[in-house]
Amino acid sequence: ATLTIDTQHVKAKVSPKLYGLMTEEINYSYEGGLYGDLINIRTFHGSWGDSHWLLRPMGDAEIHDELMKTGGPSAALPECMQLTVTKASDKDLAGISNRGFWGIPVRPSTTYKGSFWAKADSSAVGPVHVRLTNNDTGKGPEAVTAPLTTEWKQYDFTLTTSADHPANVENELLLAVAHPGKVWIDLVSLFPPTYKNRERGSRADLMEKLAAMQPRFLRFPGGNYLEGDYINERFDWKKTIGPVVDRPGHRSPWNYWSTDQFGLPEFLNWCEDLKMQPLLAVFAGYALKHDYIKPGKDLEPYVQDALDEIEYITGSTSTKWGAERAKNGHPEPYPLSYVEIGNEDWFDKSGSYDGRYAQFYKAIKAKYPELQLIATTPVNGMKPDMIDDHYYKKAQEFYEMDDHYDTMDRNGPAIFVGEWATREGGPTPNFGSALGDAAFMTSMERNSDLIKMASYAPLLVNVNPNGMQWESDLIGYDAMTSYGSPSYYAQVMFNKYLGDEILTGKSEGAGSRFFYSATRTAATGTIHLKLVNGSSTPKTMTIALDGATKVAPTAKLVTLSAKTLGATNTITTPTKIVPVDGTFKKASGKFTYTIPGYSIQILELETK
Ligand code: AHR
């Protein structure tokens, strides 16, 4: 078999934004995932409200609870928990506790910050005792707040664990009082140290894993989560900004409650923390269960909402929504180049997308001509700036579409592969999936003159059996730890060695399960040769770097491989399959190379 790379001609520039992230509230991605807050159902919403809370009378204490539908701390949060304490004392407290998202992860010598809203029917109820208690030892730090008043107020607390607090998830947060009376509680929060110590910030281990991918953009807020099952369950961005007590939350189409505490400002901070460009998807008048708004007058408020959202992100502080952003703590505008209009509108059989896209397009371009506007499916009557293609496939199917983009018309819209994944294995994909992914990434890199951006989906999964709605997600976690799937590591590798020039090549006799791409970093002359062997047997080939006058014999070699397609990483074996660095010492203008079976490799060939 041979692989010949033409080093003399550059086909095109590699899109510098090729690899990014796609995200939405699915699989407990933010609630019970990236968003640092450890308290589950912290706003006591609806029938979900009491399922994660336990009554805790100690000793002789007596207490009962009632979920209230009205009377909460704000118009946005009418619901709250009413506790009626008929007997309590300093020795026998009465209260409620929460055990988080299938556990509250607590570590020794660590400071946790929290808050809750509360009021009492009389000041005689006194303060709230807040305890972070280990379920086995019954021990943990305690804070005592100021006495409750008859007005709703926010109470903040800090809890620092002792050096001998067990590091595990068997903990609960207790809020209790020492005197009889009625107490109302809402919006309970508990944060561990967060990534970059952001107030109400994100979980550090997940952010670090995402940072290692060096993503260039973030497509948010969905996916289905943008649309909602019904129009009134869409991601209504104006209800996700400002103080969290003013955010009503909403039901996500993935069937659980979203508090929207991870809202538009948090998405934008996430972009800032990881140096990603926001790729904003705006609600375009179509919901998952097929309700849609007719183009024309009825759609106007939704178009206006999108214009306001863009202004919130990019407007100066002298604009209405730019000023709102500044009020929420971020006077500087965020960069924005791409706006996607809707999500997967090929499901809309009414044919309304042509008109809806056109109406959004005209209004957005009139005000923001510099923005690139992405369509979610081809549109009759106009050429969108970009089309979002989605692929959820088996590895074999990705192998078979290796040349799909090689021959595609370059005069059409640019391509954004906004969702893609090989779906084999769960809750996170196995090594067979990583091979399918890597094969697809070689084709995206070879064609990144056309494919400007790509983002795998879904990104995150809480691997608790109750946490997953979609099998095969890039990064898995439970309350305590997280891990990357083999597919995750394949992406880390591909983006780390991306290069900026596409070189053309030709492979012959390598069989139907061999895939490659060759890019180069112009400044250093390093050729990044990506090789994927999806068969179980090693493949020996002659690799020729046509036109290269100088090739260093020693090349860096990075390998991700496994013995079987089903091999995988899990929450208990998180690093079974990880990239391994090595060297190859016999590189030249034409050399023999053997790619091991079931492997993804990158050869860093130095040509300057
Ligand atoms: O990634 C999961 C879902 O797949 C997305 O929400 C949706 O856009 C697609 O159908």
Side-chain angles (χ1 to χ4, degrees):
T2 58
L3 173 63
T4 309
I5 306 297
D6 178 356
T7 68
Q8 290 299 293
H9 300 104
V10 174
K11 177 182 167 188
K13 289 273 172 211
V14 175
S15 168
K17 293 204 181 72
L18 185 58
Y19 296 117
L21 305 179
M22 186 273 171
T23 179
E24 64 180 321
E25 183 60 272
I26 181 176
N27 304 318
Y28 290 81
S29 285
Y30 317 136
E31 313 270 337
L34 191 70
Y35 184 54
D37 202 333
L38 301 171
I39 303 302
N40 200 349
I41 310 295
R42 60 192 87 101
T43 57
F44 297 100
H45 174 75
S47 55
W48 282 296
D50 54 0
S51 52
H52 292 276
W53 290 91
L54 297 170
L55 270 186
R56 281 271 176 264
M58 292 171 198
D60 277 348
E62 286 169 11
I63 178 170
H64 66 263
D65 62 337
E66 195 179 339
L67 277 177
M68 305 303 285
K69 288 205 177 314
T70 57
S74 65
L77 298 179
E79 293 156 305
C80 63
M81 174 63 93
Q82 175 183 284
L83 300 173
T84 306
V85 178
T86 46
K87 211 167 160 198
S89 65
D90 285 335
K91 183 170 84 51
D92 291 335
L93 302 176
I96 48 166
S97 72
N98 188 284
R99 290 199 170 178
F101 293 89
W102 309 291
I104 295 191
V106 176
R107 293 179 170 80
S109 308
T110 305
T111 295
Y112 296 81
K113 286 186 185 163
S115 61
F116 60 90
W117 283 70
K119 66 173 186 170
D121 61 348
S122 127
S123 58
V125 169
V128 173
H129 298 248
V130 186
R131 290 182 184 167
L132 186 53
T133 311
N134 183 270
N135 303 336
D136 298 326
T137 66
K139 291 187 194 155
E142 174 171 330
V144 182
T145 67
L148 297 183
T149 72
T150 53
E151 298 296 318
W152 279 108
K153 261 208 270 183
Q154 180 178 318
Y155 295 84
D156 297 325
F157 58 85
T158 301
L159 299 165
T160 301
T161 53
S162 60
D164 63 354
H165 196 107
N168 64 35
V169 302
E170 301 303 328
N171 301 280
E172 65 177 27
L173 184 77
L174 172 83
L175 303 181
V177 294
H179 304 283
K182 266 194 196 313
V183 178
W184 292 269
I185 294 191
D186 206 355
L187 200 49
V188 186
S189 279
L190 178 71
F191 282 87
T194 58
Y195 187 71
K196 295 197 174 169
N197 293 319
R198 266 200 196 271
E199 188 104 339
R200 296 195 314 101
S202 293
R203 189 171 146 169
D205 60 334
L206 293 178
M207 286 295 269
E208 277 152 18
K209 286 198 172 59
L210 298 174
M213 294 173 75
Q214 301 179 31
R216 304 296 200 270
F217 67 89
L218 177 73
R219 174 181 177 229
F220 69 86
N224 293 357
Y225 186 61
L226 168 73
E227 305 169 76
D229 273 345
Y230 303 99
I231 288 171
N232 66 1
E233 290 182 353
R234 69 190 183 280
F235 182 82
D236 196 352
W237 71 271
K238 284 179 184 160
K239 295 183 179 160
T240 75
I241 59 175
V244 290
V245 72
D246 295 325
R247 302 187 194 184
H250 75 287
R251 180 187 160 273
S252 106
W254 299 105
N255 235 336
Y256 56 95
W257 189 250
S258 172
T259 59
D260 284 328
Q261 291 176 20
F262 201 94
L264 180 59
E266 288 71 24
F267 283 115
L268 295 168
N269 286 343
W270 183 6
C271 289
E272 194 163 82
D273 281 349
L274 298 192
K275 300 185 176 61
M276 309 180 281
Q277 267 230 2
L279 188 158
L280 175 72
V282 296
F283 178 74
Y286 175 76
L288 281 167
K289 305 254 174 177
H290 311 299
D291 292 351
Y292 69 96
I293 312 284
K294 275 206 194 91
K297 211 139 195 48
D298 292 350
L299 195 62
E300 275 171 15
Y302 298 91
V303 174
Q304 189 55 49
D305 245 20
L307 291 171
D308 293 346
E309 192 172 11
I310 296 168
E311 187 174 285
Y312 182 94
I313 297 171
T314 63
S316 79
T317 50
S318 59
T319 62
K320 177 175 174 204
W321 290 103
E324 204 60 34
R325 184 195 63 240
K327 215 167 89 192
N328 294 334
H330 204 286
E332 283 303 307
Y334 295 90
L336 183 73
S337 307
Y338 301 94
V339 173
E340 179 158 11
I341 297 169
N343 177 57
E344 296 194 336
D345 289 83
W346 63 78
F347 283 117
D348 174 10
K349 300 298 176 213
S350 74
S352 72
Y353 189 62
D354 291 346
R356 290 188 289 109
Y357 180 82
Q359 196 170 333
F360 276 85
Y361 185 96
K362 279 180 202 141
I364 297 174
K365 281 279 180 183
K367 195 160 176 207
Y368 302 101
E370 69 286 1
L371 288 179
Q372 295 285 294
L373 302 182
I374 304 168
T376 69
T377 191
V379 207
N380 287 315
M382 64 192 297
K383 179 177 156 189
D385 298 329
M386 221 180 238
I387 291 267
D388 180 358
D389 283 352
H390 290 183
Y391 299 106
Y392 290 109
K393 295 200 171 287
K394 298 281 176 215
Q396 184 59 34
E397 293 170 318
F398 272 125
Y399 296 162
E400 284 163 15
M401 61 176 278
D402 182 48
D403 62 356
H404 177 74
Y405 288 108
D406 291 336
T407 50
M408 192 170 272
D409 175 18
R410 264 41 185 180
N411 297 313
I415 306 283
F416 166 42
V417 184
E419 293 180 31
W420 67 274
T422 309
R423 300 196 64 198
E424 291 177 31
T428 49
N430 59 26
F431 188 72
S433 274
L435 285 168
D437 290 349
F440 185 52
M441 284 191 282
T442 62
S443 83
M444 290 201 285
E445 288 191 7
R446 288 196 313 272
N447 290 289
S448 78
D449 58 317
L450 177 65
I451 301 176
K452 299 294 179 198
M453 293 182 287
S455 44
Y456 185 101
L459 182 62
L460 300 169
V461 63
N462 188 317
V463 299
N464 184 281
N466 297 309
M468 183 182 76
Q469 290 86 48
W470 180 284
E471 199 176 68
S472 74
D473 309 283
L474 203 62
I475 296 172
Y477 48 88
D478 59 13
M480 199 77 183
T481 61
S482 57
Y483 69 99
S485 62
S487 294
Y488 163 81
Y489 286 110
Q491 277 196 58
V492 171
M493 283 165 65
F494 269 61
N495 201 19
K496 185 166 176 193
Y497 303 102
L498 183 58
D500 47 33
E501 295 177 339
I502 308 169
L503 301 178
T504 48
K506 195 172 175 197
S507 81
E508 277 173 319
S512 61
R513 289 196 164 200
F514 168 75
F515 310 91
Y516 76 94
S517 75
T519 59
R520 180 168 58 200
T521 297
T524 59
T526 309
I527 294 178
H528 315 282
L529 189 60
K530 286 159 182 147
L531 307 168
V532 181
N533 184 0
S535 74
S536 57
T537 48
K539 201 164 286 301
T540 297
M541 56 199 324
T542 302
I543 297 180
L545 303 179
D546 266 12
T549 49
K550 203 171 149 199
V551 179
T554 302
K556 182 172 181 183
L557 174 67
V558 188
T559 303
L560 190 70
S561 69
K563 289 205 166 54
T564 64
L565 298 175
T568 199
N569 294 336
T570 67
I571 196 80
T572 48
T573 54
T575 53
K576 214 164 139 184
I577 301 167
V578 293
V580 177
D581 286 350
T583 43
F584 173 69
K585 296 201 167 150
K586 291 187 173 163
S588 65
K590 194 170 188 179
F591 58 98
T592 303
Y593 186 74
T594 301
I595 312 151
Y598 292 153
S599 66
I600 300 163
Q601 292 198 309
I602 302 181
L603 264 178
E604 292 279 286
L605 298 157
E606 305 301 341
T607 66
K608 253 193 188 167

